[in-house]
Amino acid sequence: MGHSLERWIDGELSERRARCIDEHVEGCEDCSAEVAALLKLKASVRRMRAGEPVAEAVGRLMAEAERLSTQ
Ligand SMILES: [Zn+2]
């Protein structure tokens, strides 16, 4: 699932595939942990690039994940 999870977070998957992963992540401890880790990693990468506070970056990523999961 690893690679798909990253693409899911990035919003690169089709709506159908994204929904499928969303449902899986909800019930899978391993994948939720991996999503959380990926979000954290991406947040710190973005913070380094943009020089913005990490909380702000995480908040935006969480909002994006929420948007993807409710599409
Ligand atoms: Zn899983």
Side-chain angles (χ1 to χ4, degrees), residues 29-62:
E29 233 174 87
D30 287 346
C31 290
S32 337
E34 192 169 342
V35 165
L38 282 168
L39 284 172
K40 222 170 161 180
L41 180 71
K42 285 176 181 296
S44 39
V45 168
R46 285 197 183 191
R47 184 171 57 105
M48 280 188 285
R49 281 186 189 151
E52 67 186 342
V54 68
E56 198 179 304
V58 169
R60 206 174 51 239
L61 283 164
M62 293 305 282

Side-chain angles (χ1 to χ4, degrees), residues 1 24 28 30-31:
M1 289 295 289
H24 174 84
C28 179
D30 287 346
C31 290

